[in-house]
Each structure stands twice: as C-alpha cells, then as structure tokens.
C-alpha cells in the first residue's frame, strides 16, 4: 500500500506531489482547430458559426450569441502549461482537465484554448505502469489462472 503523502501534507513541510513533475514518459501533444475533448465541442461549433449558445446557469438562463472571450471568461489559465502549442502565446484558458491517480501512478489530460489564434492545445500523460483498478484486477486474475493452468488444475 502506498503512503498518503501524495495527497496530504498535514503536519509536514513537504510540498504535495504535482501532476506534471517527475514524469517518466513523454507528454503527448496535439494542436487542433476544434476541441479534442468532448466537453464544449458542440458549443465551440456554435460560437464559430455565430449561433446562440446556452448561457451558464450560474449567470442566467436562455440562449445568447457570444464571442470567444465571453464564452471562455470563466475558465482559468493552466499555470503549469500556459503556452499555446501553435503560436506560443501565453493568452490561453484551460477548458478541460482530468487527472487520475491509482496506486501511486498517474494519468492526466489537459486542453487549453488560445485566445489569440483560437487553436486548442492538447497535452496528456500516462505513467508506464498505470492501470485502472479494473485492469489491475483483470491482470491479477489472469496471472492466477495461468498459475492454475501450469499446475494442471481445471477451471
């Protein structure tokens, strides 16, 4: 069992482990005109066509024709990867971020929108030994079955 120091620093002077440090594989990068992540992909098409989009429920209700700046005003910049992969601009906003930690291994993906060139920069990473809990259990069961088959035991 791994230590819980990865997620908590109570009572220590230790900095928590960040998702983008000590990487053991390369970061996958991609530049796209449209979002690779499904979230916001339909709205992006509407924004670029000048069609009305649904207003964020925390602001109001109904539909509105919005500019890219209006639509992305609630997003924050990713300080770990602030630059656009297409033009190098630092005027970016992150619209998609997912990270998964499992048994001390990590997997993450991030997509940012450049407000200057309107391209999307995709970055993703996966530790070489990363497996989801279901994949881990499947591997464990398969090893156990291989061991039984080697002993001549039928299932």
């Amino acid at each position: 069992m791994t230590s819980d120091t990865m997620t908590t620093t109570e009572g220590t002077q230790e900095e928590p482990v960040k998702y983008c440090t000590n990487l053991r594989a390369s970061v996958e990068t991609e530049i796209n005109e449209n979002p690779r992540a499904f979230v916001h992909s339909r709205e992006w098409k509407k924004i670029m066509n000048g069609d009305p989009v649904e207003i964020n429920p925390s602001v109001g209700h109904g539909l509105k024709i919005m500019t890219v700046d209006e639509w992305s005003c609630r997003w924050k910049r990713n300080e770990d990867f602030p630059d656009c992969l297409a033009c190098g601009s630092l005027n970016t906003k992150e619209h998609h971020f997912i990270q998964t930690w499992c048994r001390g291994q990590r997997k993450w993906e991030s997509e940012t929108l450049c407000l200057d060139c309107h391209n999307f920069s995709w970055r993703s990473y996966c530790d070489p030994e990363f497996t989801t809990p279901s994949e881990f259990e499947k591997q464990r069961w398969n090893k156990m079955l291989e061991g039984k088959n080697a002993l001549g035991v039928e299932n």
Side-chain angles (χ1 to χ4, degrees):
M1 188 82 179
T2 59
S3 152
D4 64 346
T5 58
M6 294 182 80
T7 56
T8 181
T9 57
E10 289 179 28
T12 68
Q13 297 298 326
E14 236 177 89
E15 285 292 316
V17 176
K18 289 184 73 174
Y19 72 95
C20 61
T21 58
N22 301 325
L23 303 180
R24 295 180 285 136
S26 60
V27 175
E28 176 194 343
T29 60
E30 189 176 318
I31 302 167
N32 298 303
E33 289 183 11
N34 296 310
R36 179 172 164 181
F38 183 72
V39 63
H40 300 137
S41 59
R42 290 184 180 153
E43 288 90 351
W44 178 250
K45 289 176 189 169
K46 291 178 183 178
I47 295 286
M48 296 313 286
N49 290 334
D51 297 333
V53 295
E54 192 171 342
I55 296 173
N56 186 325
S58 64
V59 177
H61 64 279
L63 298 173
K64 181 179 180 184
I65 295 175
M66 293 186 189
T67 65
V68 173
D69 289 332
E70 269 183 305
W71 181 60
S72 63
C73 71
R74 293 184 168 271
W75 302 347
K76 296 177 183 164
R77 186 169 136 176
N78 181 334
E79 296 300 331
D80 297 317
F81 298 105
D83 57 325
C84 172
L85 294 173
C87 68
S89 169
L90 297 177
N91 189 15
T92 60
K93 300 267 187 119
E94 183 174 60
H95 81 100
H96 170 77
F97 180 80
I98 295 176
Q99 69 175 329
T100 305
W101 291 79
C102 191
R103 289 179 305 286
Q105 307 299 320
R106 65 192 146 188
K107 178 180 182 175
W108 55 263
E109 54 190 43
S110 167
E111 189 167 47
T112 56
L113 167 64
C114 178
L115 299 175
D116 293 334
C117 69
H118 294 166
N119 280 313
F120 289 87
S121 298
W122 174 271
R123 293 174 177 93
S124 63
Y125 172 81
C126 184
D127 275 332
E129 301 85 21
F130 179 86
T131 56
T132 62
S134 60
E135 291 169 341
F136 179 76
E137 289 298 319
K138 185 176 181 181
Q139 289 171 356
R140 227 173 96 194
W141 278 102
N142 287 338
K143 284 181 188 176
M144 186 180 72
L145 290 175
E146 287 172 9
K148 284 185 175 183
N149 290 340
L151 295 173
V153 177
E154 290 185 27
N155 297 337

